Each structure stands twice: as structure tokens, then as C-alpha cells.
Amino acid sequence: MKKTSTRLADGRELIYYDQRDDTVRDAVDRRPLERTVTTSEVRQDPLLGDSVAIASHRQGRIYHPPADECPLCPSQGERLSEIPDAAYDVVVFENRFPSLAGDSGRCEVVCFTSDHNASFADLTEEQAGLVLEAWTDRTSELSHLPSVEQVFCFENRGAEIGVTLGHPHGQIYAYPFTTPRTALMLRSVAAHKEATGGENLFDAVLERELADERVVLEGEHWVAFVPYSAHWPYEVHLYPKRRVPDLLGLDEGARTEFPKVYLELLRRFDRIFGENESPTPYIAAWHQAPFGQLEEFEGVNRDDFALHLELFTIRRTSGKLKFLAGSESGMNVFINDVPPERAAQRLREVASS
């Protein structure tokens, strides 16, 4: 992998990740852009204790542009985009309309391929491996920023999810705090560790899932399963079999196997509801240990956390979406219409031939 860092016309950082070491990246951003001005502010809810990002400047972000005006496609002639070069493998750049900025963290966009009509599932194993390297590198770099406590790599796909740009891409949020979902996990890990005299909760969960009927696919280094208490109709958790706290901890075997396992999982998601309902909208979310201090989680350190990816769709059956209505949105109590065992069976049935 070759990494080339440059700057866009408004000063934002852009990074090329290339498969070939001899690739030259010297294209200049020719757009007449002024410096980006953001109004991001993080406020804490005094009752719930969680944080909310207030980012009014995002109201002006690009919304469903036609394909020939996509800002994530390479620049061609006088059609100038966020990527100055005429082609690329993987690109990461600072979001022009970030939810978090400055002392409030950082937001980046990850373009998986220059092909506007592709999806992550269309990538080759080599391309998917390069995306993994980019995620890992950005996790490392962002973790060293003084304002960053947790790094979150994720992909939203599909208009049903709320995606406003059709180009295959994901995002990275670098939070200045430990997110509420991660905090809940860490509290459960701490409680289980104390109650069992030191047993790791993630290890216990993985051991139980490996022995159950909800395993979707398994490799030498990775296992994917529908969790016992899945919140979403079709939800899969992908774990490395060797517990590591973050992407940086993956060994060479896990890195090599990941593209094959993950691409197969995404392709199965696209087959769940049949060709007429493909592509399936989904969210793919990497859960990594925070880089900040964990004193509030007594007896727990970073190595107690288990890196994993959670993949889920808001579609519950053909032509029907799972809406977060009263119970989910009002009380955070999920009601799942599809038994996890049935979801796992369906995902095994649609395996590649």
C-alpha cells in the first residue's frame, strides 16, 4: 500500500491509498473554494448523560446530486470534484460538512472505489483489503489527536438509510468522548468480570454463539453470527476469533481472510429479499475500544474490549421497512419481527454457489 497525503483548495486533508507503490498523486484541486467554516458544538444531556452534536452548517450539504455531478467521483476535465485526480483506488478526506470538528472531534469520508455504480460488495478481495488498511491507518492517526477518544468507521448504504450521495463510500467519526453504546458494553464487561472472577464477557458471548444455530459463516480467523438478542430483523455480528481491542490489533492472518469473509457476508445481504429488492440498505459499523482513560469502568482496560463489526438492515421483509417508532425511539426498547434463528437460517440459505 502507498499512502499520499495532500490538501484540497479549502485546506482540508485528502489521502490517497494506492495498491501500487509507484503511483504518483500530484493533481491539484482547482476549485475556487474558501476555507471551510463549521459550527459544530457538543452538548451533554443532563438527564441522560449522553452527548449531542449541534451542527447547523450541515443543512447546506449536497443532497442527492445527479450522477454526473457526484462530488465523490474523480475529477474529469472541467468537472471538478472532491478528488482532484482522474482515478483512484481508495481515498479519505475531511468531510466538508462535518458533524464534529476542531475540539469537538473530526469527520472523514472514505471512498471505496472510483466506480460510481459499484458497491462495497462489488469490490475485489484486493480492493476490500485496501479499504481495511485505510480504516486501520485512519484509526491509528486519529487516535493521536488530543481531542479524540474513540474512532468509529462505518458505512451507510441506501436511500432508505438516509444516504444523500449514491457513490460507494463510508465515513469515520472521531469522537471527543466514549460513545453511549460503547459505554454500555464496557459497563456490562466490568460487571461480568467482577461477577465471574475475571472472565471476559466478549469471550463468553463468542463461545456461546459458536456453539449455537445462529452462526452464518465461519473462517479460520473470523466468525459471523446473528446475535441471540438481535435488535434488527437481519443483523449480523462479525468477530475475529482472537480478541483484539481495535483494527490495529489484527494479525496478518485475520487481515488476509477478512476481505473474503466480509464480501461474502455483504453479498448474502443483497440476496436476502430477492433480486427485485436488491441492493439491500444497510449500516455496517466497526466497534473499537476507546483510546481515552477507562477509570469509570472499574477493573476494565482496553484489552478487555473486543473489536467487532455489526451489520444490519432496516428492511424486515420485501417492501417493508423496520421503523423506529414509539418503543424504540421513545424508550430504546427494540421489538424485532424476525426471530434471530430464522434470520441466520435465511442468510445461510442465500450463500454463494
Side-chain angles (χ1 to χ4, degrees):
M1 179 193 78
K2 182 180 180 181
K3 174 183 175 182
T4 306
S5 179
T6 184
R7 292 282 171 179
L8 296 173
D10 55 7
R12 289 176 293 132
E13 185 178 18
L14 180 143
I15 307 165
Y16 294 97
Y17 293 90
D18 288 294
Q19 295 172 349
R20 292 175 56 96
D21 291 336
D22 59 352
T23 303
V24 176
R25 298 296 185 185
D26 55 8
V28 176
D29 185 4
R30 294 181 284 128
R31 297 174 298 172
L33 297 180
E34 297 182 355
R35 287 271 175 176
T36 300
V37 177
T38 64
T39 57
S40 179
E41 176 188 359
V42 174
R43 300 181 182 179
Q44 188 172 49
D45 186 316
L47 295 179
L48 299 179
D50 58 6
S51 298
V52 178
I54 309 297
S56 60
H57 62 276
R58 285 176 53 79
Q59 287 280 34
R61 66 188 185 273
I62 299 171
Y63 188 80
H64 293 298
D68 60 357
E69 296 178 17
C70 175
L72 306 185
C73 287
S75 293
Q76 299 287 341
E78 295 306 309
R79 193 190 68 77
L80 306 178
S81 73
E82 290 280 66
I83 297 91
D85 219 321
Y88 62 85
D89 292 340
V90 174
V91 166
V92 177
F93 61 88
E94 289 184 75
N95 198 321
R96 189 178 177 187
F97 303 95
S99 302
L100 307 165
D103 293 338
S104 298
R106 175 158 157 154
C107 293
E108 299 181 340
V109 177
V110 184
C111 298
F112 304 138
T113 171
S114 59
D115 185 352
H116 181 85
N117 297 313
S119 70
F120 201 118
D122 295 322
L123 301 183
T124 65
E125 290 184 21
E126 187 178 26
Q127 289 173 312
L130 185 61
V131 175
L132 177 62
E133 290 303 311
W135 283 332
T136 304
D137 180 71
R138 297 315 300 153
T139 296
S140 176
E141 293 290 326
L142 293 170
S143 71
H144 289 97
L145 296 179
S147 63
V148 172
E149 189 166 314
Q150 186 172 359
V151 178
F152 176 46
C153 307
F154 64 99
E155 180 192 1
N156 299 325
R157 186 179 77 163
E160 299 92 335
I161 296 292
V163 175
T164 57
L165 297 176
H167 196 102
H169 73 287
Q171 299 181 66
I172 302 175
Y173 276 21
Y175 298 102
F177 50 79
T178 297
T179 60
R181 189 174 177 86
T182 302
L184 284 174
M185 292 184 195
L186 289 169
R187 292 189 187 101
S188 296
V189 169
H192 185 84
K193 191 174 186 178
E194 181 180 7
T196 60
E199 182 181 70
N200 183 273
L201 178 58
F202 285 107
D203 291 349
V205 168
L206 189 57
E207 181 180 359
R208 183 179 72 174
E209 295 292 356
L210 279 167
D212 219 312
E213 61 181 311
R214 291 178 299 278
V215 172
V216 174
L217 60 90
E218 183 177 357
E220 180 181 354
H221 301 278
W222 295 86
V223 60
F225 58 87
V226 177
Y228 171 76
S229 53
H231 289 58
W232 299 92
Y234 289 90
E235 174 182 340
V236 175
H237 293 189
L238 178 62
Y239 275 71
K241 291 184 177 179
R242 182 179 70 87
R243 174 165 44 92
V244 296
D246 51 43
L247 290 166
L248 283 73
L250 293 174
D251 59 24
E252 191 59 34
R255 291 185 180 281
T256 300
E257 186 181 74
F258 171 78
K260 180 178 181 180
V261 173
Y262 188 49
L263 289 172
E264 171 62 19
L265 193 57
L266 292 180
R267 290 162 186 168
R268 292 190 191 190
F269 255 62
D270 276 343
R271 298 188 190 100
I272 299 174
F273 306 106
E275 292 184 3
N276 293 334
E277 296 283 347
S278 185
T280 298
Y282 65 71
I283 294 175
W286 280 109
H287 291 262
Q288 306 191 81
F291 288 94
Q293 300 299 315
L294 302 180
E295 285 90 349
E296 63 178 295
F297 311 105
E298 189 173 349
V300 172
N301 56 54
R302 292 193 78 250
D303 290 335
D304 290 318
F305 194 87
L307 166 76
H308 63 284
L309 182 142
E310 298 185 8
L311 173 69
F312 60 90
T313 178
I314 62 171
R315 185 170 289 160
R316 56 189 174 90
T317 189
S318 296
K320 297 179 181 179
L321 300 180
K322 167 64 178 177
F323 293 104
L324 300 189
S327 186
E328 292 86 356
S329 295
M331 282 294 158
N332 201 27
V333 177
F334 275 69
I335 300 169
N336 190 349
D337 305 300
V338 180
E341 293 74 20
R342 172 55 186 155
Q345 179 184 357
R346 179 60 182 152
L347 286 164
R348 289 193 297 267
E349 290 172 351
V350 295
S352 297
S353 57

